[in-house]
Amino acid sequence: MRGRILLTTCVAGAVVIADQVTKTIAEDHFATHPVSIGPIHLVEVLNTGVAFSLGVGHPVVAGVVATVVAVAIGAWGLTRRFVASQIAASLVVGGAISNLADRVVRHHHGAVIDWIQLPLWPVFNLADAAITVGVVVLALSEVRGHRG
C-alpha cells in the first residue's frame, strides 16, 4: 500500500507542479501577448466552470464537485490492481487538485486559468488534459483488465 501511495503522490504532485508553472507562464505572458503555433493558440482565458466550461458562473459549486470527484477517484484508484489504473487515477487527482488550487489561491474570483486553444475544442490547461487522459486510461485499463 505504501508503494501505491508514493506512486499516487508523485504522479499527482508532478501534474500539480507542471500545471501551476504553465498557468503562471500563461498569466504572465499569454494574457497580453497570445501566441499562435499553427492551429494552436496560447492565450489566457479565465474559466469559472468545470470540464468544457460547464457550470460557468458557479465557481464554488464547481470546486466542491471537482474535489468530491477527485477524492472518490483517488481512493478508488488506490484499490486497483493495475498500475495503469493507479497512474490514471493519480492524473485525475493531480488535475483536480491543481484546478482547485487555482480557484482558492489565485485571485480570479474562483476561476481557473485555461490557456491552450485548439480548433473546434474548448480552451483548456494541463490539469484538464491530465484529468481527461486519466479518465480515458482508467476506463480502458478497467475494461481490458476485466476481459483478461
Side-chain angles (χ1 to χ4, degrees):
M1 185 60 136
R2 274 189 278 174
R4 291 177 184 194
I5 292 171
L6 180 61
L7 176 65
T8 298
T9 303
C10 288
V11 172
V15 169
V16 171
I17 290 167
D19 184 57
Q20 289 300 314
V21 166
T22 57
K23 284 176 178 174
T24 298
I25 292 168
E27 191 173 39
D28 291 346
H29 299 288
F30 304 146
T32 55
H33 298 85
V35 174
S36 293
I37 305 166
I40 301 169
H41 303 288
L42 308 178
V43 59
E44 180 192 32
V45 174
L46 298 178
N47 179 3
T48 58
V50 290
F52 304 109
S53 297
L54 298 173
V56 168
H58 304 285
V60 173
V61 173
V64 169
V65 168
T67 302
V68 169
V69 169
V71 168
I73 289 175
W76 181 78
L78 284 174
T79 69
R80 307 321 301 157
R81 124 181 151 203
F82 305 109
V83 174
S85 295
Q86 295 167 15
I87 292 171
S90 302
L91 290 171
V92 173
V93 169
I97 288 170
S98 193
N99 277 340
L100 180 63
D102 253 23
R103 293 182 192 285
V104 174
V105 176
R106 294 185 191 257
H107 302 287
H108 298 297
H109 307 288
V112 298
I113 297 171
D114 288 339
W115 60 274
I116 305 166
Q117 185 176 26
L118 303 175
L120 306 171
W121 198 260
V123 182
F124 62 99
N125 56 48
L126 290 185
D128 299 336
I131 291 167
T132 302
V133 168
V135 167
V136 169
V137 169
L138 195 55
L140 292 174
S141 133
E142 288 300 307
V143 167
R144 184 173 177 242
H146 288 298
R147 281 197 217 150

